Amino acid sequence: AKEKGRDNAQFFTPEMSNIVAKKFGFEKEINEALALGQFSLVFQPKVLMEKNDILGLEALIRWNHPVKGLISPADFISIAEESNLIIKIDEWVIDQALQQLKAWRDQGLRIVPIAVNLSGRHLVSDSLVPYISQKLIAYGIDGCLLEIEITEGVLLQDIQRCIEVMAELKELDIRISVDDFGTGYSSLSYLKRLPLDILKIDQSFVEECDRHIEDAKICETIIHLARSLELVIVAEGVETAPQADMLKSLGCEIFQGYYFHRPMVSADIAKLLIADPVF
Ligand code: C2E
Ligand code: CA
Ligand code: CA
Ligand code: CA
């Protein structure tokens, strides 16, 4: 009887209901944030060798909370991922990114692909492809201007479904990028089975690649792997010249990180793109 009592207690402690209440409170707040326009996007350029040659942008979400101030995506995306709330957020990001491309194009700017981060739940859902294709049409944007970033771990959960959805995304000309590469438990066979375009070397390997031979070797291995699979390689989180130089010497040509550009609001991106108008 005592054992049972303890079991019951596990489900009904005030602490537990407190956590549940907090979670629901937070979900409610995220919903309100969407409705009230408290989210915004910043964009971080991906550059080719020379500092000014921008090949693409990654859209990163920001939550400007009226009381708590700026909340990092690291603090709310994982909670949103526990429910379909993440799909609402991801859809909002896709819509904003495409709307931004249309606005820049209407201003006569050179436009480059925007990458959005998608959660696994959304990738395998039935709604992703119809949503994207409808939005591409609505804004008159080519699929080749949209890129999706998926973390490595997601690909392993339901490879069959990933293959299906990715095939549909490829039909829309959308590029697919594997985020945080090297941190998941990847089997190399899935890389061959999926229609991937880009591998992003995780920041954790970039961080010390100029100081530790082990990290440099890991970067080199990933770069060679990408090359043999004919994938584009991007190093992320590059903060210093020695890191960039090391990665260059290992064969990486596309960089993303504070050393080149921080994530920026759209007006600042426009200033960078304006130097390069469409003709
Ligand atoms: P991520 O996709 O790996 O994004 C890269 C993160 O590294 C971003 O943090 C970016 O601001 C940061 N970063 C870029 N360059 C540097 C650098 O040189 N040094 C350092 N220390 N950091 C750098 P952020 O914006 O806080 O995003 C964190 C994570 O939140 C992202 O990791 C991504 O997993 C998730 N996230 C961000 N925006 C979205 C979104 O719109 N949707 C979804 N589903 N997830 C998002
Ligand atoms: Ca990313
Ligand atoms: Ca990443
Ligand atoms: Ca990351």
Side-chain angles (χ1 to χ4, degrees):
K2 255 199 164 171
E3 282 302 310
K4 255 189 192 147
R6 213 186 286 154
D7 283 347
N8 285 342
Q10 271 185 342
F11 287 99
F12 294 109
T13 58
E15 289 83 3
M16 287 290 285
S17 58
N18 202 9
I19 289 168
V20 171
K22 255 193 197 152
K23 209 183 114 189
F24 280 124
F26 202 49
E27 288 182 358
K28 189 164 162 277
E29 274 199 86
I30 293 175
N31 261 311
E32 281 168 6
L34 280 166
L36 296 172
Q38 291 169 4
F39 290 116
S40 61
L41 290 184
V42 289
F43 302 91
Q44 187 177 34
K46 296 177 194 174
V47 302
L48 178 69
M49 302 280 260
E50 306 310 318
K51 283 194 181 195
N52 291 324
D53 206 352
I54 297 173
L55 291 187
L57 303 168
E58 178 176 1
L60 296 159
I61 197 166
R62 296 292 176 262
W63 182 359
N64 203 340
H65 191 283
V67 178
K68 295 172 191 156
L70 209 57
I71 304 177
S72 160
D75 294 329
F76 65 86
I77 290 292
S78 61
I79 291 173
E81 277 178 339
E82 290 173 24
S83 72
N84 285 339
L85 206 46
I86 190 63
I87 296 186
K88 276 201 194 177
I89 294 177
D90 282 350
E91 287 182 345
W92 181 86
V93 172
I94 292 166
D95 179 75
Q96 289 293 303
L98 295 176
Q99 198 175 313
Q100 186 63 70
L101 284 172
K102 176 174 163 28
W104 282 331
R105 192 187 51 198
D106 290 350
Q107 289 165 37
L109 299 180
R110 173 176 75 104
I111 50 177
V112 294
I114 294 183
V116 299
N117 295 281
L118 292 188
S119 79
R121 182 192 282 269
H122 196 186
L123 181 76
V124 300
S125 78
D126 291 334
S127 62
L128 177 67
V129 172
Y131 182 85
I132 291 180
S133 59
Q134 169 219 324
K135 289 291 172 179
L136 289 173
I137 292 167
Y139 292 116
I141 298 291
D142 282 341
C144 64
L145 286 165
L146 185 65
E147 196 174 295
I148 62 160
E149 295 194 3
I150 299 289
T151 54
E152 202 183 358
V154 163
L155 305 177
L156 295 168
Q157 285 165 26
D158 188 349
I159 182 120
Q160 214 44 55
R161 180 65 189 144
C162 283
I163 291 172
E164 274 168 34
V165 176
M166 286 183 183
E168 293 177 45
L169 291 170
K170 298 314 296 180
E171 266 170 45
L172 295 173
D173 260 344
I174 289 165
R175 295 197 294 178
I176 303 168
S177 175
V178 182
D179 206 352
D180 300 351
F181 189 76
T183 62
Y185 300 92
S186 58
S187 81
L188 296 183
S189 66
Y190 84 78
L191 288 179
K192 255 178 38 190
R193 295 174 62 195
L194 295 167
L196 306 172
D197 302 288
I198 300 156
L199 286 190
K200 296 185 82 174
I201 308 180
D202 191 67
Q203 187 184 1
S204 59
F205 305 117
V206 168
E207 211 171 351
E208 310 215 305
C209 71
D210 57 319
R211 279 176 292 152
H212 294 289
I213 186 73
E214 294 84 2
D215 294 279
K217 290 252 184 243
I218 291 170
C219 290
E220 185 177 33
T221 303
I222 295 174
I223 291 164
H224 286 171
L225 174 70
R227 190 172 294 154
S228 63
L229 293 169
E230 298 183 305
L231 301 174
V232 171
I233 189 90
V234 177
E236 63 178 350
V238 181
E239 293 183 346
T240 68
Q243 288 169 354
D245 290 343
M246 172 56 79
L247 290 159
K248 246 181 239 175
S249 76
L250 298 174
C252 181
E253 297 184 321
I254 304 175
F255 301 96
Q256 190 180 346
Y258 295 168
Y259 177 63
F260 298 92
H261 296 285
R262 296 213 164 225
M264 288 179 277
V265 296
S266 63
D268 290 335
I269 295 287
K271 285 179 203 154
L272 285 177
L273 295 178
I274 220 155
D276 227 334
V278 179
F279 33 89

